[in-house]
Amino acid sequence: MIDINQQGIGYTDFAKIYENQLEFMKYFINTKIDFIIDCIEVAPKKEFIEKIFEHQKNVKKCLVIVIDNDINLKFNKEWNIIPTKIEAFDFISFEQIQREIGY
């Protein structure tokens, strides 16, 4: 459901969890990891991302949403919207460094 790399960054493709969103949320709420959700193929409803965003804010972890710039969704300006998976991992790695040095 969630792939976790060596830096402790979680990743999932929304297209793979689309049919099981409730099950995913039950699992996700028990995590405390920086997280990337890839929405290139399928875009979730805003409410789904809001739940994930609130959880990440509460556990003081980063959320990055990978989505094509051409998709016109009214996402929250606080959300980290990144156009590619590679940039998303780079973004979170930078955030982790900033937390480590107390920035």
Side-chain angles (χ1 to χ4, degrees):
M1 211 173 264
I2 296 177
D3 297 323
I4 301 176
N5 76 358
Q6 306 97 309
Q7 292 83 25
I9 300 171
Y11 171 85
T12 197
D13 185 333
F14 183 73
K16 292 180 181 176
I17 63 165
Y18 179 77
E19 297 295 325
N20 298 310
Q21 292 178 48
L22 290 176
E23 183 179 319
F24 171 81
M25 286 306 292
K26 289 177 187 175
Y27 173 78
F28 182 74
I29 293 301
N30 294 312
T31 68
K32 293 182 180 178
I33 56 174
D34 293 303
F35 186 64
I36 298 168
I37 185 162
D38 190 330
C39 303
I40 291 290
E41 292 181 35
V42 178
K45 291 184 179 180
K46 185 178 177 183
E47 296 79 19
F48 180 80
I49 298 294
E50 285 172 342
K51 289 177 187 175
I52 293 175
F53 178 76
E54 284 305 313
H55 170 71
Q56 293 302 89
K57 200 161 106 175
N58 291 337
V59 298
K60 296 179 177 37
K61 295 294 183 177
C62 187
L63 169 66
V64 174
I65 304 160
V66 178
I67 197 158
D68 193 312
N69 288 331
D70 294 336
I71 295 176
N72 187 12
L73 296 174
K74 296 183 180 191
F75 283 140
N76 187 319
K77 291 181 183 183
E78 290 182 64
W79 298 350
N80 302 306
I81 310 291
I82 307 292
T84 70
K85 182 178 173 180
I86 293 171
E87 289 174 292
F89 277 100
D90 290 344
F91 183 91
I92 289 182
S93 294
F94 184 68
E95 288 286 317
Q96 289 175 335
I97 291 168
Q98 286 182 319
R99 280 196 306 259
E100 286 176 15
I101 63 172
Y103 182 73

